[in-house]
Amino acid sequence: MPDSTQPIGIFDSGVGGLTVLAQIARRLPSERLVYLGDTARVPYGTKSPDTVARYARACARVLLSNHVKMVVVACNTASAFALEILQDELPLPVLGVIEPGARRAVLSTRNKVVGVIGTAGTVGSGAYQNTLTALEPGLRIHTAPCPLFVPLAEEGWIDGEVPEAIAKKYLDPMLRAGVDTIVLGCTHYPLLKNTIGLAAGPDVVLVDSADATSEVVAEILAGLQIASTTAATDSPRFLVTDSPDSFARLGARFLGHELADIQWVDIA
Ligand code: DGL
């Protein structure tokens, strides 16, 4: 059984999961965090389910060897394709981002018409659609893969004419269908929240899976009595499978501050 002094492990295909790390760090400031970004193999959003599952297993192994007490699959695509596999195989709690986001969307919608945006992999997997309808069978769900949002977020092109035009184009069909809630089903999309909000209009609620996930992490740790009981002084440790320098540059953009401790790991 894991104990309260161990860190929480978080992994993503690259830098995007830092949006999840940021929410966990904000909600649980006493916890030690280890983050793995599989930057050598990003993106996951365009890859097949088997490939993503293989990568996710390898990431989880690295976190286990770093003695984590739980694993958070911060990547929506990996949550869609590999969460159940990891939950079956790992001897500790494993949480993905899809169910927390879906629960929040069900609580938010008034007219029962919900939109989901994500990578082609996440949207194509049907994972959000299945989870949402399991929670609320009468929902009408409209989805749109928004692949250009990932490079826009990584380039820092999060505001202005071009991202707004792209957001409008992606969202137009679901807005016409009357969605009153849209799930940001990709790690990168919280960075574009303003732009997506402008395109969606003031009456549409945007659900941030990252924040919803941090709430469930807190519940799981409390339920298992493995929440940290001492104030953590360490800043998060970052592990990457490609150059620490480019992760540092992009990561600072995602977190809004410099990242201290970044190490390269080989998981091939
Ligand atoms: N982290 C991925 C996700 O949330 C987005 C980037 C990628 O395609 O790997 O689905």
Side-chain angles (χ1 to χ4, degrees), residues 4-9 31-34 66-70:
S4 62
T5 60
Q6 293 171 262
I8 299 171
E31 296 292 341
R32 293 160 58 217
L33 306 177
V34 179
N66 279 273
H67 311 292
V68 300
K69 61 185 170 188
M70 84 173 281

Side-chain angles (χ1 to χ4, degrees), residues 83-204:
L83 182 67
E84 282 173 22
I85 297 171
L86 297 181
Q87 284 175 332
D88 281 350
E89 293 179 357
L90 300 186
L92 34 77
V94 185
L95 176 69
V97 284
I98 289 178
E99 186 162 338
R103 281 192 186 281
R104 209 171 260 194
V106 167
L107 289 176
S108 144
T109 183
R110 297 282 161 256
N111 68 358
K112 310 292 176 206
V113 190
V114 171
V116 177
I117 57 177
T119 63
T122 299
V123 169
S125 74
Y128 270 105
Q129 298 90 311
N130 295 339
T131 310
L132 283 163
T133 30
L135 293 167
E136 178 76 59
L139 283 186
R140 280 175 27 227
I141 302 161
H142 296 269
T143 59
C146 301
L148 290 175
F149 284 168
V150 169
L152 284 174
E154 296 204 352
E155 287 297 321
W157 267 31
I158 53 176
D159 295 301
E161 210 181 319
V162 172
E164 271 175 44
I166 293 171
K168 283 206 177 89
K169 182 108 185 145
Y170 279 146
L171 300 187
D172 187 52
M174 67 172 65
L175 294 171
R176 281 177 204 243
V179 297
D180 72 350
T181 300
I182 297 176
V183 183
L184 306 181
C186 173
T187 47
H188 289 59
Y189 299 177
L191 267 83
L192 287 144
K193 205 168 177 180
N194 279 343
T195 296
I196 297 171
L198 284 174
D203 300 331
V204 177

Side-chain angles (χ1 to χ4, degrees), residues 12-14 16-17 42-46 74-78 119 122 150 185-188:
D12 178 50
S13 53
V42 69
Y44 284 9
T46 51
C75 178
N76 287 258
T77 312
T119 63
T122 299
V150 169
C186 173
T187 47
H188 289 59

Side-chain angles (χ1 to χ4, degrees), residues 5 7 29-34 230-237 260-261:
T5 60
S30 310
E31 296 292 341
R32 293 160 58 217
L33 306 177
V34 179
T230 53
T233 46
D234 335 355
S235 42
R237 280 181 58 218
D261 180 2

